[in-house]
Amino acid sequence: MAFFDPAEGWDREEIERVQLTRLRNTVQQALKSPFYRKRLGSLGITPEAVTSLSSLRDIPFTTKGDLRGAYPYGLLCVPRDEIVRLHASSGTTGAAVAICHTRDDLNTWADLMARCMYMVGIRRSDVFQNIAGYGLFTGGLGIHAGAERLGCLTVPAGAGNTRRQIKLIQDLGVTALHIIPSYALYLGATLKSVGIDPRELSPRIALIGAEPHTEEARQRIEYLLGVKAYNSYGLSEMNGPGVAFECLAQNGMHIWEDAYIPEILDPKTLEPVPDGEIGELVMTTLTRRGMPLLRYRTSDLTRFLPGPCVCGRRHRRIDRILGRADDMLIIKGCNIYPMQIEQILLSFPEVGQNYRILLETEDGMDQMRVQVEIREEHFVEDVRVLRGLQERIARRLRDEILMTPRVELVQTNSLPKSEGKAVRVHDKRGQ
């Protein structure tokens, strides 16, 4: 079995020994930030108080609300001039969450990402095409850094422009891809429509993630693109991609426990659940200097898979992400809150008071449909006017939530109304 890093071969005793040492160091580093100095200091939590891994339970949780409240630099544990990169995302009210990295943090992240890629068979000799957005979104730059760390010829293709993606694959002899599942399905359908047999192309590996997807969708991607597709898990607060990754067995994702301590807790009681039971994933960073996070509540629902993996690695495995513990929606790799959609819709004077968001599954992938009631005086017979409004709403939504839902304009009072609280989201996935 080939390892990129000797840590992949550690047994449980070594993993837990390193975790304890790094947890103490992380607490010491966290106390340098105004936020954690106040939060931990009030409870008397010091590095010396961390006597075992069970001491983690004495540390309070960190939430997305805490990150918003500390935006942009309240969680920094190093001087501002040691920060070399910032990634950010917005939430329900537009309040941003910023994650800051030192040079050492970025190097550690690149090593973790390279470890993931090496694990599934990517090597220096590969030509790697990164079909992901670059910018504040962590997927593009995180994956890119891992590919370069491996020494791959790395093609920063970015997202979209499908015909150009196909031409790059053909011209450059691309052997490995990073692509979100929904776009992978679209790319596969495009290959079929233009008469290209994927078995005649060079890619053999696809890294897929950033949005939940079923095993059936993965199998369809493998068929349409002629590749082996490996699931990944990451979130900006924990760096981004590279937190957990499937091995060749494709049976759960290994969390790199030398870099993180994962917990899976009951979202209501916040007590640990047994292996195999679904709960909320809570994560602690162990190797980050610029902005370490302690017991961060991800809101992602998953479970620890019991038993050892056939690959021989002893780092624990989690199942694919099964949903959210809160009301956040993940559609096509974008984190979306219903209030973001409402804020945009109600900014249009033509829009009435009622709307609904329909989540559906088509061809194994999640889709969003937004039905919007239009005020009676604006619901005219001129199709061009309505189509123009529909397109403007879709563009504004795309700017806010980073994906384009299907927008349907309907007459006033045509949508169902609730006698109690308005039910805006109707999740029909899996029905």
Side-chain angles (χ1 to χ4, degrees), residues 24-45:
R24 288 172 178 150
N25 293 339
T26 297
V27 169
Q28 183 175 29
Q29 184 71 6
L31 286 167
K32 297 177 182 179
S33 76
F35 173 82
Y36 279 122
R37 187 160 54 244
K38 180 178 179 181
R39 175 74 62 88
L40 301 183
S42 64
L43 298 174
I45 296 174

Side-chain angles (χ1 to χ4, degrees), residues 207-278:
L207 313 181
I208 57 176
E211 61 185 7
H213 59 280
T214 63
E215 179 61 24
E216 291 76 13
R218 186 241 292 275
Q219 291 173 5
R220 182 170 296 187
I221 289 168
E222 292 185 332
Y223 173 75
L224 289 173
L225 298 184
V227 297
K228 291 295 289 183
Y230 297 94
N231 193 14
S232 65
Y233 173 72
L235 66 163
S236 298
E237 295 88 339
M238 293 292 114
N239 291 342
V243 175
F245 220 86
E246 285 184 326
C247 63
L248 293 174
Q250 294 181 300
N251 184 23
M253 297 176 285
H254 291 277
I255 286 189
W256 301 124
E257 294 183 89
D258 54 317
Y260 307 98
I261 298 179
E263 306 170 77
I264 296 184
L265 310 179
D266 184 302
K268 295 181 180 179
T269 68
L270 299 179
E271 292 296 321
V273 300
D275 287 3
E277 289 192 14
I278 296 170

Side-chain angles (χ1 to χ4, degrees), residues 157-175:
N161 200 337
T162 305
R163 294 300 178 96
R164 186 164 184 266
Q165 301 285 1
I166 295 171
K167 182 168 174 54
L168 287 171
I169 292 171
Q170 292 173 319
D171 291 351
L172 304 178
V174 170
T175 54

Side-chain angles (χ1 to χ4, degrees), residues 283-326:
M283 298 282 287
T284 296
T285 65
L286 294 177
T287 56
R288 203 157 70 192
R289 290 185 61 253
M291 191 175 162
L293 294 180
L294 299 169
R295 303 196 81 194
Y296 180 71
R297 293 190 62 179
T298 70
S299 295
D300 289 325
L301 297 176
T302 185
R303 60 189 179 119
F304 282 130
L305 296 178
C309 182
V310 296
C311 78
R313 294 173 179 85
R314 294 296 178 260
H315 295 259
R316 304 196 74 179
R317 292 171 298 139
I318 59 171
D319 201 353
R320 63 180 64 245
I321 301 303
L322 305 173
R324 302 288 298 180
D326 55 19

Side-chain angles (χ1 to χ4, degrees), residues 314-343:
R314 294 296 178 260
H315 295 259
R316 304 196 74 179
R317 292 171 298 139
I318 59 171
D319 201 353
R320 63 180 64 245
I321 301 303
L322 305 173
R324 302 288 298 180
D326 55 19
D327 64 349
M328 190 174 81
L329 311 173
I330 303 179
I331 305 291
K332 295 189 175 181
C334 299
N335 296 342
I336 302 166
Y337 286 88
M339 289 302 294
Q340 288 177 280
I341 295 175
E342 178 170 291
Q343 184 179 16

Side-chain angles (χ1 to χ4, degrees), residues 46-59:
T46 64
E48 294 73 26
V50 180
T51 58
S52 68
L53 289 178
S54 62
S55 300
L56 187 68
R57 300 292 307 282
D58 299 325
I59 297 175

Side-chain angles (χ1 to χ4, degrees), residues 359-384:
L359 306 180
E360 301 163 319
T361 301
E362 292 183 10
D363 297 325
M365 296 305 305
D366 292 344
Q367 302 290 342
M368 176 185 287
R369 185 155 51 105
V370 180
Q371 296 179 322
V372 188
E373 286 189 356
I374 301 302
R375 294 182 184 275
E376 191 171 347
E377 62 269 28
H378 293 287
F379 204 88
V380 297
E381 293 182 357
D382 190 334
V383 175
R384 292 173 300 176

